[in-house]
């Protein structure tokens, strides 16, 4: 029986050769990827710094403004829309805010955000005509009440019922709809004294300085159109 210690082992070079060949292939692939790039990424969407930063993007379309009188009713889907309002101020400017009566009969709070430079709002006072471009924004009811107190605006309220369950006068619902309480217009400094959009009807003249307040005007016009 031969001594197995004297028998030369076979195949001892196979695994080292396979490992060396694999390592060589890996080094060749890594070098080609590092210097030449990954060809499989040519047709894939890239992100971050590889996206080109707008090189392949569509051009930005300018925002089109619309007349405030044409957007009825105001809804949450209209938030952020650029609207042009023409009318007159029913209050003075308080903390960069003013109560505006649009020429279509509706009233809405207008806030100047950010605060314009000194003298930019010099012509905005009670009874003065305004022409503004603003973005429609959401307004909480508590904030609306606080702004009305600050501006000194009286909002009409229905007469109390005689008995429990009495509904307010049907005309009051139409009058109340003229006072927008859940939205406001945010006007940038460049939106002051803006031009109305093309095709807009001419704006009627502002009322005389001795005009009635907002509550009295709305109550008096309950039987007339807006």
């Amino acid at each position: 029986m031969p001594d197995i210690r004297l028998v030369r082992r076979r195949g001892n070079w196979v695994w080292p050769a396979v490992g060396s060949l694999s390592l060589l292939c890996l080094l060749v692939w890594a070098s080609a990827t590092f210097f030449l790039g990954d060809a499989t990424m040519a047709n894939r969407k890239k992100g971050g710094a590889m996206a080109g930063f707008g090189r392949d993007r569509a051009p930005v379309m300018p925002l089109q403004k619309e007349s405030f009188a044409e957007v009825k009713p105001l809804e949450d889907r209209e938030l952020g829309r650029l609207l042009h309002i023409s009318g007159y101020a029913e209050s003075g400017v308080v903390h960069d805010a003013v109560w505006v009566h649009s020429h279509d009969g509706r009233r809405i709070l207008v806030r100047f955000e950010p605060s314009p430079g000194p003298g930019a709002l010099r012509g905005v006072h009670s009874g003065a005509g305004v022409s503004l471009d603003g973005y429609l924004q959401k307004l909480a009811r508590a904030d609306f009440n606080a702004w009305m107190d600050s501006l000194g605006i009286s909002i009409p309220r229905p007469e109390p019922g005689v008995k429990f369950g009495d509904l307010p006068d049907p005309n009051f619902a139409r009058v109340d709809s003229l006072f927008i309480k859940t939205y406001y217009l945010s006007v940038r400094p460049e939106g002051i004294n803006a031009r109305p959009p093309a095709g807009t009807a001419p704006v009627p003249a502002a009322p005389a300085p001795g005009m009635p307040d907002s509550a009295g005007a709305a109550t008096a016009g309950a039987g007339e159109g807006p």
Side-chain angles (χ1 to χ4, degrees), residues 24-114:
L24 179 62
C25 294
L26 182 61
L27 291 176
V28 172
W29 173 81
S31 301
T33 303
F34 180 79
F35 291 105
L36 302 179
D38 189 359
T40 61
M41 297 294 294
N43 297 328
R44 294 185 181 181
K45 294 183 179 180
K46 302 177 182 180
M50 301 295 293
F53 293 103
R55 180 180 55 191
D56 300 328
R57 299 177 182 178
V60 178
M61 301 298 294
L63 187 61
Q64 299 294 332
K65 63 180 177 182
E66 301 182 22
S67 175
F68 174 78
E70 298 178 357
V71 182
K72 295 180 180 180
L74 295 180
E75 300 176 348
D76 287 352
R77 63 180 181 179
E78 311 294 346
L79 292 176
R81 176 174 291 188
L82 180 61
L83 302 177
H84 177 83
I85 183 170
S86 298
Y88 60 90
E90 286 192 344
S91 71
V93 178
V94 178
H95 299 297
D96 296 329
V98 64
W99 183 246
V100 174
H101 185 163
S102 174
H103 67 80
D104 69 338
R106 293 182 295 174
R107 285 85 163 170
I108 190 171
L109 177 68
V110 173
R111 298 176 60 183
F112 300 95
E113 302 171 326

Side-chain angles (χ1 to χ4, degrees), residues 114-144:
S115 179
L121 304 178
R122 185 175 304 170
V124 182
H125 54 82
S126 180
V130 295
S131 181
L132 307 170
D133 287 344
Y135 298 89
L136 188 67
Q137 301 293 335
K138 194 72 173 178
L139 180 66
R141 187 58 183 271
D143 294 338
F144 172 81

Side-chain angles (χ1 to χ4, degrees), residues 161-214:
V162 179
K163 58 182 179 179
F164 179 78
D166 284 350
L167 299 177
D169 185 7
N171 290 329
F172 176 80
R174 187 184 63 82
V175 173
D176 187 64
S177 65
L178 299 178
F179 294 80
I180 300 175
K181 306 173 183 178
T182 55
Y183 302 96
Y184 76 96
L185 287 180
S186 176
V187 177
R188 306 297 189 265
E190 60 272 13
I192 302 175
N193 298 326
R195 295 181 178 181
T200 305
V203 179
M211 65 176 183
D213 60 6
S214 57

